[in-house]
Amino acid sequence: MTKSNTLIEKMNKHSAHNYKPLPIVLEKGEGVWVWDVDGKKYMDMLSAYSALNHGHRHPKIVDRAKKQLDKIALCSRAFHAEKLAQFCERITNLTKYDMVLPMNSGAEAVETALKLIRKWAYVVKKIPKYEAEIIVCSNNFHGRTVTIVSFSSDADYRDSFGPFTPGFKIIPYGDIEALKKAITPKTAAFLVEPIQGEAGILMPAKGYLEAAQKICKENNVLTAFDEIQTGLGRTGKLFCHMWENVRPDILIVGKALGGGIMPISAVLADEPILGLFTPGEHGSTFGGNPLACECALAAMDVLEDEHLIQRSQEMGEYLMGKLRDLNSPYVKEIRGKGLLVGIELKKEAGGARKFCEALMARGLLCKETHEHVIRLAPPLVITKEEIDWAVQHVKDVLK
Ligand SMILES: *Cc1c(COP(=O)(O)O)cnc(C)c1O
């Protein structure tokens, strides 16, 4: 019995079965590499669903987190904190929004945006109480709370968890005509992912966000972009929507914001919107804690100092080029932006899971998204040589 097997048994027995992880047990990580409890080394091509854009334990972020631990880690929002003030200034300068509201998880940031949209709908747009509608897209993934799964189109996420929160309308992703038709005088906002990561790296046609923003503006409807997975360099731009000439009214970030160390998420908007919250209307005990803020500050510094956004763009092109050259009989399409890459397999290939298991046996960790897509989303610090190593294994497995 290996150490891994013993621990997996404990998991099966004592942990809720809300995940189906690959059968390895990790103990250590560094950069793009992780080690299991039996000492086997793997390349991490999942990056905690893009929360690890900076790689595991980036030394500069770890160093600043350690120093922060020697000062103050948590104080709640009942008091001001040095690090929160610095974080708010830094992230609003980076993103060019007036204001920020920090939370912890991505789902909490999405919930925050939904509350904000509804308040704006009643106070500013003067939609009758409580009739505001928010338009979302099919195959969306915005998190796991009851309200968020209320507007999921995925049966697994949703089916056992009603009664559901009303006030949402689902339209097909990438369909501008559907958006036009769905808007009514009661529409408050359009919430969308620039690339649908969890749905299998689905990319709308070029110009979709721009067209959507134009229609929304014409109808006094807010745009809210969920960049929790696609943000902070993942797709080769600071935010994925920057591939187009758009600026959402509300920007939602999370995952990599904490530099792969601490959970921290945020909602960004200008003062006429985010200024609507008054004391008592929203909050979070851990939201914006000094330790998470310092990790986010370090993460933003590293993103810039190490040119990770440019790297993501270059390495992404390099990776996709190499994957396209493989000419595997199983592959239907290679797609992506920056280092968010999907290999969609043909139905005959029999699902992506068994390929992910074969890659794991060779020391490369990635995960199927939905049935037929292998997602490759390594930390942005990955080198060309490391990509070459990974592609060789993908090639052998897809032969
Ligand atoms: C991961 C993710 C979320 C939810 O974030 P959590 O931190 O898991 O709550 C929301 N939206 C998108 C696009 C995501 O990828």
Side-chain angles (χ1 to χ4, degrees):
M1 194 90 167
T2 61
K3 263 188 179 176
S4 295
N5 286 335
T6 312
L7 291 160
I8 289 169
E9 265 186 17
K10 284 191 211 297
M11 283 297 290
N12 288 339
K13 187 161 172 214
H14 301 293
S15 163
H17 298 168
N18 57 325
Y19 277 93
K20 190 187 165 199
L22 288 167
I24 68 163
V25 183
L26 298 179
E27 181 178 60
K28 183 179 141 79
E30 189 175 321
V32 300
W33 300 97
V34 291
W35 287 261
D36 75 7
V37 286
D38 295 303
K40 200 170 167 213
K41 182 181 174 185
Y42 302 85
M43 183 184 284
D44 182 356
M45 275 277 196
L46 177 67
S47 309
Y49 305 93
S50 297
L52 287 160
N53 284 2
H54 305 76
H56 291 268
R57 292 191 307 117
H58 190 290
K60 287 183 188 152
I61 307 175
V62 168
D63 189 48
R64 283 176 57 179
K66 283 183 177 167
K67 291 198 172 106
Q68 189 59 40
L69 277 171
D70 286 332
K71 291 169 95 182
I72 187 170
L74 180 65
C75 63
S76 88
R77 295 292 304 274
F79 315 107
H80 289 289
E82 175 198 21
K83 286 298 154 189
L84 177 58
Q86 290 171 353
F87 166 79
C88 292
E89 181 184 39
R90 178 83 166 87
I91 194 168
T92 52
N93 281 340
L94 179 73
T95 58
K96 301 187 172 65
Y97 285 93
D98 294 344
M99 292 175 142
V100 62
L101 196 165
M103 297 293 283
N104 310 284
S105 69
E108 282 174 312
V110 172
E111 287 274 351
T112 302
L114 297 174
K115 282 175 74 175
L116 184 62
I117 287 164
R118 285 180 168 180
K119 179 141 199 212
W120 177 87
Y122 303 126
V123 172
V124 178
K125 187 164 176 175
K126 311 258 191 255
I127 295 171
K129 262 188 180 172
Y130 293 115
E131 294 175 20
E133 288 171 355
I134 298 171
I135 299 174
V136 299
C137 291
S138 53
N139 301 315
N140 70 70
F141 182 79
H142 295 291
R144 304 291 199 164
T145 64
V146 169
T147 288
I148 294 171
V149 303
S150 293
F151 55 84
S152 174
S153 58
D154 186 310
D156 282 346
Y157 298 163
R158 179 185 147 95
D159 261 16
S160 305
F161 307 109
F164 300 111
T165 306
F168 299 95
K169 227 184 219 180
I170 304 177
I171 61 169
Y173 186 56
D175 187 338
I176 282 295
E177 284 311 308
L179 176 61
K180 260 186 207 163
K181 270 194 221 134
I183 292 176
T184 73
K186 292 179 183 173
T187 307
F190 175 48
L191 169 66
V192 66
E193 300 156 85
I195 291 177
Q196 288 188 327
E198 291 315 297
I201 325 290
L202 299 187
M203 312 211 311
K206 202 172 171 339
Y208 173 61
L209 296 177
E210 236 172 292
Q213 176 170 273
K214 184 163 174 284
I215 293 163
C216 288
K217 278 223 159 81
E218 285 166 4
N219 291 282
N220 194 22
V221 167
L222 298 179
T223 45
F225 292 174
D226 179 345
E227 292 248 21
I228 290 168
Q229 183 159 164
T230 50
L232 300 165
R234 173 51 60 188
T235 71
K237 296 274 186 196
L238 176 60
F239 294 105
C240 185
H241 70 264
M242 291 173 172
W243 285 101
E244 293 188 33
N245 182 27
V246 287
R247 180 182 185 267
D249 298 299
I250 297 172
L251 178 65
I252 309 166
V253 295
K255 292 202 165 112
L257 184 59
I261 309 248
M262 285 291 287
I264 176 167
S265 62
V267 173
L268 290 136
D270 285 337
E271 197 276 335
I273 299 169
L274 202 36
L276 291 172
F277 279 137
T278 53
E281 286 187 338
H282 195 60
S284 160
T285 302
F286 288 90
N289 68 76
L291 181 58
C293 284
E294 179 62 0
C295 288
L297 284 162
M300 287 184 269
D301 287 347
V302 167
L303 202 67
E304 288 185 337
D305 296 348
E306 300 188 4
H307 311 287
L308 292 186
I309 300 170
Q310 188 60 33
R311 265 191 88 76
S312 170
Q313 200 175 118
E314 286 164 14
M315 291 298 136
E317 269 162 33
Y318 181 70
L319 171 61
M320 274 189 279
K322 288 223 136 191
L323 291 172
R324 288 199 177 105
D325 287 344
L326 295 184
N327 286 320
S328 159
Y330 294 124
V331 174
K332 187 172 160 201
E333 187 182 42
I334 310 281
R335 60 174 176 260
K337 271 201 170 101
L339 281 169
L340 183 58
V341 175
I343 305 173
E344 178 162 353
L345 304 176
K346 293 175 183 163
K347 295 263 181 311
E348 310 88 271
R353 175 89 182 184
K354 67 170 196 252
F355 294 96
C356 292
E357 283 168 1
L359 285 169
M360 183 192 82
R362 291 165 164 272
L364 196 154
L365 299 182
C366 55
K367 200 160 188 312
E368 74 280 6
T369 56
H370 279 237
E371 247 193 278
H372 302 289
V373 180
I374 303 172
R375 167 172 33 198
L376 297 180
L380 310 185
V381 294
I382 195 168
T383 63
K384 241 184 189 158
E385 293 68 40
E386 286 163 340
I387 288 180
D388 290 340
W389 181 90
V391 169
Q392 187 55 47
H393 288 296
V394 174
K395 181 178 173 183
D396 291 344
V397 164
L398 287 176
K399 240 184 351 223

mmCIF file of all heavy atoms in Angstrom, residues 19 48-50 104-110 140-145 148 192-198 226-230 252 254-255 263-265 375, ligand 1:
data_model
loop_
_atom_site.group_PDB
_atom_site.id
_atom_site.type_symbol
_atom_site.label_atom_id
_atom_site.label_comp_id
_atom_site.label_asym_id
_atom_site.label_seq_id
_atom_site.Cartn_x
_atom_site.Cartn_y
_atom_site.Cartn_z
ATOM 1 N N TYR A 19 -16.222 15.931 -5.377
ATOM 2 C CA TYR A 19 -15.222 16.007 -6.441
ATOM 3 C C TYR A 19 -14.858 14.598 -6.867
ATOM 4 O O TYR A 19 -15.082 13.633 -6.118
ATOM 5 C CB TYR A 19 -13.949 16.730 -5.971
ATOM 6 C CG TYR A 19 -14.042 18.243 -6.041
ATOM 7 C CD1 TYR A 19 -14.451 18.989 -4.941
ATOM 8 C CD2 TYR A 19 -13.726 18.915 -7.209
ATOM 9 C CE1 TYR A 19 -14.538 20.381 -5.011
ATOM 10 C CE2 TYR A 19 -13.801 20.301 -7.291
ATOM 11 C CZ TYR A 19 -14.211 21.032 -6.187
ATOM 12 O OH TYR A 19 -14.290 22.394 -6.269
ATOM 13 N N ALA A 48 -4.664 24.926 -10.569
ATOM 14 C CA ALA A 48 -5.824 25.197 -9.708
ATOM 15 C C ALA A 48 -6.853 26.050 -10.457
ATOM 16 O O ALA A 48 -7.306 27.077 -9.957
ATOM 17 C CB ALA A 48 -5.400 25.860 -8.394
ATOM 18 N N TYR A 49 -7.220 25.589 -11.621
ATOM 19 C CA TYR A 49 -8.212 26.292 -12.456
ATOM 20 C C TYR A 49 -7.823 27.759 -12.681
ATOM 21 O O TYR A 49 -8.674 28.630 -12.636
ATOM 22 C CB TYR A 49 -9.614 26.190 -11.836
ATOM 23 C CG TYR A 49 -10.064 24.780 -11.567
ATOM 24 C CD1 TYR A 49 -9.852 24.190 -10.319
ATOM 25 C CD2 TYR A 49 -10.691 24.036 -12.563
ATOM 26 C CE1 TYR A 49 -10.251 22.881 -10.074
ATOM 27 C CE2 TYR A 49 -11.080 22.728 -12.320
ATOM 28 C CZ TYR A 49 -10.866 22.161 -11.083
ATOM 29 O OH TYR A 49 -11.250 20.875 -10.837
ATOM 30 N N SER A 50 -6.532 27.982 -12.857
ATOM 31 C CA SER A 50 -5.977 29.322 -13.130
ATOM 32 C C SER A 50 -5.809 30.197 -11.888
ATOM 33 O O SER A 50 -5.554 31.390 -12.005
ATOM 34 C CB SER A 50 -6.793 30.098 -14.182
ATOM 35 O OG SER A 50 -6.762 29.426 -15.414
ATOM 36 N N ASN A 104 -13.665 36.989 -0.824
ATOM 37 C CA ASN A 104 -12.709 35.881 -0.704
ATOM 38 C C ASN A 104 -12.760 34.952 -1.908
ATOM 39 O O ASN A 104 -11.828 34.832 -2.665
ATOM 40 C CB ASN A 104 -12.977 35.106 0.579
ATOM 41 C CG ASN A 104 -13.085 36.038 1.769
ATOM 42 O OD1 ASN A 104 -12.075 36.536 2.254
ATOM 43 N ND2 ASN A 104 -14.300 36.312 2.221
ATOM 44 N N SER A 105 -13.897 34.294 -2.086
ATOM 45 C CA SER A 105 -14.016 33.347 -3.192
ATOM 46 C C SER A 105 -14.611 34.032 -4.418
ATOM 47 O O SER A 105 -15.199 35.118 -4.327
ATOM 48 C CB SER A 105 -14.911 32.187 -2.780
ATOM 49 O OG SER A 105 -16.246 32.640 -2.643
ATOM 50 N N GLY A 106 -14.471 33.349 -5.542
ATOM 51 C CA GLY A 106 -15.070 33.853 -6.769
ATOM 52 C C GLY A 106 -16.580 33.946 -6.663
ATOM 53 O O GLY A 106 -17.189 34.946 -7.067
ATOM 54 N N ALA A 107 -17.187 32.902 -6.120
ATOM 55 C CA ALA A 107 -18.652 32.895 -6.008
ATOM 56 C C ALA A 107 -19.142 34.083 -5.180
ATOM 57 O O ALA A 107 -20.150 34.716 -5.524
ATOM 58 C CB ALA A 107 -19.121 31.581 -5.377
ATOM 59 N N GLU A 108 -18.420 34.413 -4.127
ATOM 60 C CA GLU A 108 -18.813 35.574 -3.318
ATOM 61 C C GLU A 108 -18.716 36.875 -4.106
ATOM 62 O O GLU A 108 -19.541 37.775 -3.913
ATOM 63 C CB GLU A 108 -17.889 35.709 -2.099
ATOM 64 C CG GLU A 108 -18.174 34.761 -0.972
ATOM 65 C CD GLU A 108 -17.106 34.919 0.092
ATOM 66 O OE1 GLU A 108 -15.899 34.922 -0.239
ATOM 67 O OE2 GLU A 108 -17.464 35.055 1.260
ATOM 68 N N ALA A 109 -17.707 36.967 -4.948
ATOM 69 C CA ALA A 109 -17.576 38.182 -5.761
ATOM 70 C C ALA A 109 -18.726 38.260 -6.762
ATOM 71 O O ALA A 109 -19.279 39.339 -7.000
ATOM 72 C CB ALA A 109 -16.223 38.195 -6.474
ATOM 73 N N VAL A 110 -19.103 37.115 -7.343
ATOM 74 C CA VAL A 110 -20.241 37.106 -8.272
ATOM 75 C C VAL A 110 -21.512 37.502 -7.524
ATOM 76 O O VAL A 110 -22.296 38.333 -7.992
ATOM 77 C CB VAL A 110 -20.395 35.725 -8.946
ATOM 78 C CG1 VAL A 110 -21.693 35.654 -9.748
ATOM 79 C CG2 VAL A 110 -19.204 35.441 -9.853
ATOM 80 N N ASN A 140 -22.852 28.691 -18.695
ATOM 81 C CA ASN A 140 -22.035 29.566 -17.845
ATOM 82 C C ASN A 140 -21.491 28.803 -16.646
ATOM 83 O O ASN A 140 -22.066 27.810 -16.211
ATOM 84 C CB ASN A 140 -22.888 30.749 -17.349
ATOM 85 C CG ASN A 140 -23.948 30.327 -16.338
ATOM 86 O OD1 ASN A 140 -23.638 29.957 -15.199
ATOM 87 N ND2 ASN A 140 -25.210 30.351 -16.729
ATOM 88 N N PHE A 141 -20.384 29.295 -16.109
ATOM 89 C CA PHE A 141 -19.975 28.883 -14.763
ATOM 90 C C PHE A 141 -19.603 30.125 -13.975
ATOM 91 O O PHE A 141 -18.653 30.822 -14.301
ATOM 92 C CB PHE A 141 -18.797 27.905 -14.770
ATOM 93 C CG PHE A 141 -18.451 27.465 -13.379
ATOM 94 C CD1 PHE A 141 -19.205 26.490 -12.733
ATOM 95 C CD2 PHE A 141 -17.430 28.084 -12.662
ATOM 96 C CE1 PHE A 141 -18.937 26.124 -11.417
ATOM 97 C CE2 PHE A 141 -17.156 27.713 -11.347
ATOM 98 C CZ PHE A 141 -17.909 26.734 -10.737
ATOM 99 N N HIS A 142 -20.370 30.396 -12.925
ATOM 100 C CA HIS A 142 -20.084 31.564 -12.098
ATOM 101 C C HIS A 142 -19.930 31.195 -10.627
ATOM 102 O O HIS A 142 -19.838 32.080 -9.783
ATOM 103 C CB HIS A 142 -21.195 32.606 -12.259
ATOM 104 C CG HIS A 142 -21.296 33.181 -13.642
ATOM 105 N ND1 HIS A 142 -20.338 34.018 -14.173
ATOM 106 C CD2 HIS A 142 -22.216 33.012 -14.631
ATOM 107 C CE1 HIS A 142 -20.689 34.366 -15.413
ATOM 108 N NE2 HIS A 142 -21.810 33.764 -15.713
ATOM 109 N N GLY A 143 -19.964 29.891 -10.305
ATOM 110 C CA GLY A 143 -19.796 29.501 -8.912
ATOM 111 C C GLY A 143 -20.893 28.562 -8.459
ATOM 112 O O GLY A 143 -21.671 28.052 -9.269
ATOM 113 N N ARG A 144 -20.979 28.362 -7.137
ATOM 114 C CA ARG A 144 -21.785 27.254 -6.607
ATOM 115 C C ARG A 144 -22.843 27.630 -5.589
ATOM 116 O O ARG A 144 -23.412 26.753 -4.943
ATOM 117 C CB ARG A 144 -20.826 26.260 -5.927
ATOM 118 C CG ARG A 144 -19.725 25.744 -6.802
ATOM 119 C CD ARG A 144 -20.264 24.843 -7.868
ATOM 120 N NE ARG A 144 -19.198 24.013 -8.427
ATOM 121 C CZ ARG A 144 -19.441 22.932 -9.160
ATOM 122 N NH1 ARG A 144 -20.676 22.568 -9.416
ATOM 123 N NH2 ARG A 144 -18.453 22.235 -9.650
ATOM 124 N N THR A 145 -23.072 28.901 -5.351
ATOM 125 C CA THR A 145 -24.095 29.245 -4.365
ATOM 126 C C THR A 145 -25.477 28.947 -4.939
ATOM 127 O O THR A 145 -25.638 28.741 -6.139
ATOM 128 C CB THR A 145 -24.041 30.742 -4.001
ATOM 129 O OG1 THR A 145 -24.357 31.487 -5.172
ATOM 130 C CG2 THR A 145 -22.679 31.159 -3.478
ATOM 131 N N ILE A 148 -26.409 31.398 -7.631
ATOM 132 C CA ILE A 148 -25.634 31.237 -8.876
ATOM 133 C C ILE A 148 -26.041 29.964 -9.618
ATOM 134 O O ILE A 148 -26.204 29.994 -10.842
ATOM 135 C CB ILE A 148 -24.110 31.284 -8.577
ATOM 136 C CG1 ILE A 148 -23.718 32.688 -8.078
ATOM 137 C CG2 ILE A 148 -23.311 30.925 -9.823
ATOM 138 C CD1 ILE A 148 -22.294 32.802 -7.547
ATOM 139 N N VAL A 192 -21.478 37.886 -18.148
ATOM 140 C CA VAL A 192 -20.906 36.965 -19.139
ATOM 141 C C VAL A 192 -19.418 36.705 -18.869
ATOM 142 O O VAL A 192 -18.729 37.550 -18.292
ATOM 143 C CB VAL A 192 -21.127 37.542 -20.567
ATOM 144 C CG1 VAL A 192 -20.346 38.828 -20.777
ATOM 145 C CG2 VAL A 192 -20.811 36.522 -21.648
ATOM 146 N N GLU A 193 -18.962 35.518 -19.265
ATOM 147 C CA GLU A 193 -17.535 35.200 -19.242
ATOM 148 C C GLU A 193 -16.949 35.475 -20.634
ATOM 149 O O GLU A 193 -17.511 34.985 -21.614
ATOM 150 C CB GLU A 193 -17.318 33.707 -18.939
ATOM 151 C CG GLU A 193 -17.874 33.210 -17.621
ATOM 152 C CD GLU A 193 -18.140 31.694 -17.669
ATOM 153 O OE1 GLU A 193 -17.228 30.910 -17.421
ATOM 154 O OE2 GLU A 193 -19.282 31.308 -17.980
ATOM 155 N N PRO A 194 -15.828 36.174 -20.734
ATOM 156 C CA PRO A 194 -15.225 36.444 -22.044
ATOM 157 C C PRO A 194 -14.820 35.161 -22.789
ATOM 158 O O PRO A 194 -14.881 35.109 -24.007
ATOM 159 C CB PRO A 194 -14.004 37.290 -21.720
ATOM 160 C CG PRO A 194 -14.342 37.939 -20.427
ATOM 161 C CD PRO A 194 -15.145 36.931 -19.658
ATOM 162 N N ILE A 195 -14.369 34.156 -22.046
ATOM 163 C CA ILE A 195 -14.219 32.795 -22.572
ATOM 164 C C ILE A 195 -14.865 31.896 -21.531
ATOM 165 O O ILE A 195 -14.641 32.086 -20.333
ATOM 166 C CB ILE A 195 -12.733 32.401 -22.743
ATOM 167 C CG1 ILE A 195 -12.070 33.203 -23.864
ATOM 168 C CG2 ILE A 195 -12.602 30.903 -23.024
ATOM 169 C CD1 ILE A 195 -10.570 32.921 -24.031
ATOM 170 N N GLN A 196 -15.675 30.939 -21.967
ATOM 171 C CA GLN A 196 -16.278 30.024 -20.987
ATOM 172 C C GLN A 196 -15.293 28.897 -20.683
ATOM 173 O O GLN A 196 -15.185 27.930 -21.441
ATOM 174 C CB GLN A 196 -17.605 29.484 -21.512
ATOM 175 C CG GLN A 196 -18.705 30.536 -21.518
ATOM 176 C CD GLN A 196 -20.070 29.949 -21.852
ATOM 177 O OE1 GLN A 196 -20.179 28.997 -22.617
ATOM 178 N NE2 GLN A 196 -21.114 30.527 -21.278
ATOM 179 N N GLY A 197 -14.595 29.038 -19.562
ATOM 180 C CA GLY A 197 -13.561 28.073 -19.186
ATOM 181 C C GLY A 197 -14.123 26.712 -18.813
ATOM 182 O O GLY A 197 -13.790 25.693 -19.426
ATOM 183 N N GLU A 198 -15.011 26.707 -17.827
ATOM 184 C CA GLU A 198 -15.533 25.423 -17.335
ATOM 185 C C GLU A 198 -16.368 24.700 -18.389
ATOM 186 O O GLU A 198 -16.502 23.490 -18.363
ATOM 187 C CB GLU A 198 -16.367 25.626 -16.068
ATOM 188 C CG GLU A 198 -15.564 26.050 -14.863
ATOM 189 C CD GLU A 198 -14.295 25.250 -14.698
ATOM 190 O OE1 GLU A 198 -14.386 24.029 -14.495
ATOM 191 O OE2 GLU A 198 -13.208 25.832 -14.780
ATOM 192 N N ASP A 226 -17.310 38.307 -15.900
ATOM 193 C CA ASP A 226 -16.688 37.418 -14.928
ATOM 194 C C ASP A 226 -15.330 36.992 -15.477
ATOM 195 O O ASP A 226 -15.239 36.148 -16.361
ATOM 196 C CB ASP A 226 -17.596 36.196 -14.691
ATOM 197 C CG ASP A 226 -16.996 35.212 -13.693
ATOM 198 O OD1 ASP A 226 -15.784 35.313 -13.402
ATOM 199 O OD2 ASP A 226 -17.737 34.329 -13.221
ATOM 200 N N GLU A 227 -14.271 37.623 -14.957
ATOM 201 C CA GLU A 227 -12.902 37.321 -15.399
ATOM 202 C C GLU A 227 -12.145 36.588 -14.297
ATOM 203 O O GLU A 227 -10.929 36.691 -14.175
ATOM 204 C CB GLU A 227 -12.179 38.620 -15.793
ATOM 205 C CG GLU A 227 -12.753 39.254 -17.043
ATOM 206 C CD GLU A 227 -11.792 39.222 -18.238
ATOM 207 O OE1 GLU A 227 -10.859 38.387 -18.255
ATOM 208 O OE2 GLU A 227 -11.996 40.046 -19.145
ATOM 209 N N ILE A 228 -12.879 35.843 -13.489
ATOM 210 C CA ILE A 228 -12.261 35.114 -12.391
ATOM 211 C C ILE A 228 -11.232 34.107 -12.923
ATOM 212 O O ILE A 228 -10.142 33.975 -12.366
ATOM 213 C CB ILE A 228 -13.350 34.416 -11.546
ATOM 214 C CG1 ILE A 228 -14.166 35.476 -10.785
ATOM 215 C CG2 ILE A 228 -12.731 33.403 -10.581
ATOM 216 C CD1 ILE A 228 -15.442 34.949 -10.136
ATOM 217 N N GLN A 229 -11.569 33.446 -14.012
ATOM 218 C CA GLN A 229 -10.646 32.457 -14.588
ATOM 219 C C GLN A 229 -9.770 33.050 -15.697
ATOM 220 O O GLN A 229 -8.631 32.646 -15.870
ATOM 221 C CB GLN A 229 -11.439 31.272 -15.153
ATOM 222 C CG GLN A 229 -10.564 30.173 -15.694
ATOM 223 C CD GLN A 229 -11.227 28.808 -15.798
ATOM 224 O OE1 GLN A 229 -10.731 27.945 -16.473
ATOM 225 N NE2 GLN A 229 -12.336 28.595 -15.120
ATOM 226 N N THR A 230 -10.319 34.008 -16.448
ATOM 227 C CA THR A 230 -9.621 34.511 -17.631
ATOM 228 C C THR A 230 -8.748 35.727 -17.333
ATOM 229 O O THR A 230 -7.990 36.159 -18.200
ATOM 230 C CB THR A 230 -10.649 34.916 -18.712
ATOM 231 O OG1 THR A 230 -11.638 35.765 -18.103
ATOM 232 C CG2 THR A 230 -11.337 33.698 -19.302
ATOM 233 N N ILE A 252 -15.352 41.349 -12.473
ATOM 234 C CA ILE A 252 -15.257 40.412 -11.346
ATOM 235 C C ILE A 252 -13.969 39.615 -11.472
ATOM 236 O O ILE A 252 -13.724 38.989 -12.514
ATOM 237 C CB ILE A 252 -16.462 39.446 -11.333
ATOM 238 C CG1 ILE A 252 -17.781 40.228 -11.433
ATOM 239 C CG2 ILE A 252 -16.447 38.582 -10.072
ATOM 240 C CD1 ILE A 252 -18.974 39.346 -11.760
ATOM 241 N N GLY A 254 -10.882 37.059 -9.310
ATOM 242 C CA GLY A 254 -10.654 36.148 -8.183
ATOM 243 C C GLY A 254 -9.449 35.280 -8.496
ATOM 244 O O GLY A 254 -8.465 35.752 -9.057
ATOM 245 N N LYS A 255 -9.544 34.036 -8.125
ATOM 246 C CA LYS A 255 -8.508 33.030 -8.418
ATOM 247 C C LYS A 255 -7.063 33.561 -8.323
ATOM 248 O O LYS A 255 -6.561 33.691 -7.226
ATOM 249 C CB LYS A 255 -8.802 32.376 -9.772
ATOM 250 C CG LYS A 255 -10.079 31.517 -9.683
ATOM 251 C CD LYS A 255 -10.188 30.444 -10.729
ATOM 252 C CE LYS A 255 -11.266 29.445 -10.332
ATOM 253 N NZ LYS A 255 -12.444 29.465 -11.179
ATOM 254 N N PRO A 263 -6.909 33.026 -0.757
ATOM 255 C CA PRO A 263 -8.109 33.368 -1.525
ATOM 256 C C PRO A 263 -8.421 34.849 -1.365
ATOM 257 O O PRO A 263 -8.454 35.352 -0.247
ATOM 258 C CB PRO A 263 -9.208 32.513 -0.887
ATOM 259 C CG PRO A 263 -8.681 32.054 0.424
ATOM 260 C CD PRO A 263 -7.193 32.262 0.452
ATOM 261 N N ILE A 264 -8.574 35.514 -2.495
ATOM 262 C CA ILE A 264 -9.081 36.888 -2.476
ATOM 263 C C ILE A 264 -9.730 37.150 -3.826
ATOM 264 O O ILE A 264 -9.205 36.753 -4.864
ATOM 265 C CB ILE A 264 -7.992 37.944 -2.131
ATOM 266 C CG1 ILE A 264 -8.564 39.369 -2.221
ATOM 267 C CG2 ILE A 264 -6.739 37.785 -2.960
ATOM 268 C CD1 ILE A 264 -7.675 40.458 -1.613
ATOM 269 N N SER A 265 -10.902 37.754 -3.780
ATOM 270 C CA SER A 265 -11.625 38.079 -5.008
ATOM 271 C C SER A 265 -12.057 39.528 -4.897
ATOM 272 O O SER A 265 -11.918 40.139 -3.832
ATOM 273 C CB SER A 265 -12.841 37.162 -5.159
ATOM 274 O OG SER A 265 -13.737 37.364 -4.082
ATOM 275 N N ARG A 375 -8.108 20.486 -20.872
ATOM 276 C CA ARG A 375 -7.685 21.878 -20.661
ATOM 277 C C ARG A 375 -6.207 21.901 -20.294
ATOM 278 O O ARG A 375 -5.786 21.200 -19.373
ATOM 279 C CB ARG A 375 -8.513 22.521 -19.544
ATOM 280 C CG ARG A 375 -7.938 23.857 -19.057
ATOM 281 C CD ARG A 375 -8.834 24.600 -18.087
ATOM 282 N NE ARG A 375 -9.602 23.742 -17.231
ATOM 283 C CZ ARG A 375 -10.680 24.127 -16.546
ATOM 284 N NH1 ARG A 375 -11.100 25.357 -16.633
ATOM 285 N NH2 ARG A 375 -11.312 23.295 -15.781
HETATM 286 C C1 LIG B 1 -13.831 29.438 -10.562
HETATM 287 C C2 LIG B 1 -14.811 30.382 -11.126
HETATM 288 C C3 LIG B 1 -15.809 30.950 -10.318
HETATM 289 C C4 LIG B 1 -16.011 30.596 -8.866
HETATM 290 O O1 LIG B 1 -14.894 30.852 -8.099
HETATM 291 P P1 LIG B 1 -14.748 30.144 -6.658
HETATM 292 O O2 LIG B 1 -13.538 30.791 -6.072
HETATM 293 O O3 LIG B 1 -14.545 28.684 -6.938
HETATM 294 O O4 LIG B 1 -15.994 30.405 -5.911
HETATM 295 C C5 LIG B 1 -16.671 31.861 -10.904
HETATM 296 N N1 LIG B 1 -16.564 32.179 -12.200
HETATM 297 C C6 LIG B 1 -15.627 31.646 -13.009
HETATM 298 C C7 LIG B 1 -15.556 32.044 -14.443
HETATM 299 C C8 LIG B 1 -14.728 30.709 -12.502
HETATM 300 O O5 LIG B 1 -13.828 30.136 -13.291
#
